[in-house]
Amino acid sequence: MVLIIAESQKGQFKKSAFEAVTYGYKTAQAMGSTCAALVLGEAANAGDLGKYGAGAVYQITDSALQQFDSQVYTAAIAEAVKQLGADVVILNHSSTGKSLLGRLAARLHAGSVAGANTVPTVSGGFRVKKSVFSGKAIAEYEVNSPVKVLSLTGNAIQPEVVGSAVSVSALQVSLPAPKVKVKEVIREEGHVPLPEAELVVSAGRGMKGPENWGIVEELAEVIGATTACSRPVADVGWRPHHEHVGQTGIAIRPNLYIAIGISGAIQHLAGVNNSKTIVVINKDPEAPFFKAADYGVQGDLFDVVPKLTAAFRRFKEEQ
Amino acid sequence: MKLLVCVSKTPDTTSRIAFSSDGAQFDANGVQYIMNPYDEWYALVRALELKEAHGGTVTLINVGTESNDQVIRKGLAIGADNAVRVNCDPQSSLYVAKQIAEYAGKENFDIVFCGKETIDYNSSEVGAMVAEFLDLPFVSFASKLEVSGQTATAARDIEGGTEMVEVDLPFVVSAAKGMAEQRIPNMQGIMMAKRKPLDVIDPVPFDELSTPVQYTLPPAKKTVQLFNADQMDELVRLLHEEAKVI
Ligand SMILES: Cc1cc2nc3c(=O)[nH]c(=O)nc-3n(C[C@H](O)[C@H](O)[C@H](O)COP(=O)(O)OP(=O)(O)OC[C@H]3O[C@@H](n4cnc5c(N)ncnc54)[C@H](O)[C@@H]3O)c2cc1C
């Protein structure tokens, strides 16, 4: 059985949970197996995971799961794996999933692949691909342990509805008390977090100063995108650190990445080159970013960006 | 405080990435190696700062072949007291973590540090694995870490925000940007590093359960389509009809 761990936040599933179920469903099909979903803690409409291909949905509700502690979550998942006889466990490659993947591999003596982005193939061994060297290459892994654990890269697969909601069964497990105590969670409200954003508008040193960011925010606002920035811009405090993308910042893979006044240094590209479509706005025709772009606009960003925003507005009005 | 920092060696960020003609092996020809930046800039430096504030020792551990000694010596030059290298050529994170845990389990460290991920395989696995093998709490993606007595507080980077946590020693932590500032080794550090102990130990037997078997380069991007500032409606149309992202 393929068991996917459906991540939720404040009782609501994230889109990544549906991606993981679709991925688990396809993995189960490839293996001639079944797919089930495990929900940890409270989550509304858990049975809806059936729509994306979970043949069964299990839930563990225990006060110890109210806050995240990797030891407690690992104990819960490992117990479910044992009770259900699962042989493939699928997590999201998120801060939570990454904190659990390694623990589960060690606990279950399981081969792991972190950041898988293709459905496994099983003829000639269990094989799955992931991006390595910060997007500069792809590696295919072979996993040869009886139990396998994978974490799925965000936005690598789109959720597909293939069935209908199923009933939810409670699993009884005994869990240790959390040792890592969460004191406070501070969230940037109102925006899709960068790692989960499908549309990203990013700007760099070409902006000249923080006071000019209005045109970037306006563009992002019009298309519903999350804002990002290059490292020097975060380093000098023009933008908050959590916007910094690249090798030493966040690695993202949105459907659309619009880069404004960013040269496209290799360390910047390392975090964004898996984006599906890249638009580059730069006044220097020699800027390296144009080589990584699908669409390029050569020109002064202070002229181009307002015009692009206006064009998106016209497009939205026609829709 | 007794601190352990796990360090690994990675190709420099600007290295050209290539593979053997059958795609089975990474081609190390002409590749410049560095210490993984998260290990060096954040994990190691924060460990040194804690030692400076509270006393104690900072030990480095690396799982790898003799060719890694150069990177280990750099860590000693930055200020670690001693180092251990588990002599083998590992293929998977689990194998590496097992070796680290074997050593760490005998030494009773207060905090085991690692970087949040390596910049070659980007897996982010080893810290969690070491924590599980040692049955210790794990604080992942910490961008701040303070220790007072037997208790530590940390800020964890999570999607779209920060989580503040508290945990008692001992524990395992993975270091993200913000935990410390890079230190450049000085001449005295480099000289002293040559005399600091670097013990080489044998690995314990452990199976490789997950191994890279085939490498490929991503398909080349088709050439960029260029526009000027007065063609923005056309660009938006293509984003909608051709790229289908809007
Ligand atoms: C180990 C290491 C790790 C790193 N990690 C990262 C990382 O994670 N992320 C990251 O981003 N960087 C990283 N860097 C830094 C990276 O090498 C570059 O220095 C950085 O990305 C450059 O930022 P930038 O493109 O904003 O600025 P610049 O390189 O200064 O580029 C500004 C661009 O704006 C254009 N421009 C200027 N004015 C205008 C205008 N009016 N209209 C249009 N275009 C204009 C210019 O032509 C230029 O191309 C790292 C470096 C190292 C050594």
Side-chain angles (χ1 to χ4, degrees), chain A residues 204-206 208 230-232 244-249 261-263 265 267-268 282-284 287 299-302, chain B residues 13 41:
Chain A
R205 278 218 309 223
K208 310 275 191 290
S230 67
R231 171 169 146 179
H244 158 198
V245 292
Q247 181 118 58
T248 42
I262 301 175
S263 56
Q267 298 91 357
H268 183 86
N282 200 301
K283 68 176 181 188
D284 174 8
D300 188 329
L301 67 89
F302 296 102
Chain B
T13 49
W41 302 351

Side-chain angles (χ1 to χ4, degrees), chain A residues 203-208 229-233 235 244-250 257 260-271 281-289 297-304, chain B residues 12-14 34 37-38 41 119 177 182:
Chain A
R205 278 218 309 223
M207 294 298 297
K208 310 275 191 290
C229 69
S230 67
R231 171 169 146 179
V233 159
D235 281 353
H244 158 198
V245 292
Q247 181 118 58
T248 42
I250 302 172
Y257 185 74
I260 301 167
I262 301 175
S263 56
I266 194 155
Q267 298 91 357
H268 183 86
L269 295 181
I281 300 170
N282 200 301
K283 68 176 181 188
D284 174 8
E286 301 297 320
F289 221 144
V297 189
Q298 275 171 17
D300 188 329
L301 67 89
F302 296 102
D303 176 35
V304 175
Chain B
D12 188 5
T13 49
T14 51
I34 56 170
Y38 293 104
W41 302 351
I119 61 169
K177 182 183 168 182
Q182 181 179 10

Side-chain angles (χ1 to χ4, degrees), chain A residues 261-281:
Chain A
I262 301 175
S263 56
I266 194 155
Q267 298 91 357
H268 183 86
L269 295 181
V272 303
N273 57 8
N274 275 322
S275 307
K276 294 219 171 80
T277 299
I278 296 179
V279 175
V280 167
I281 300 170

Side-chain angles (χ1 to χ4, degrees), chain B residues 38-55:
Chain B
Y38 293 104
D39 308 347
E40 179 188 329
W41 302 351
Y42 311 126
L44 172 56
V45 177
R46 189 65 193 135
L48 293 171
E49 288 170 355
L50 288 174
K51 172 193 149 171
E52 285 152 13
H54 303 272

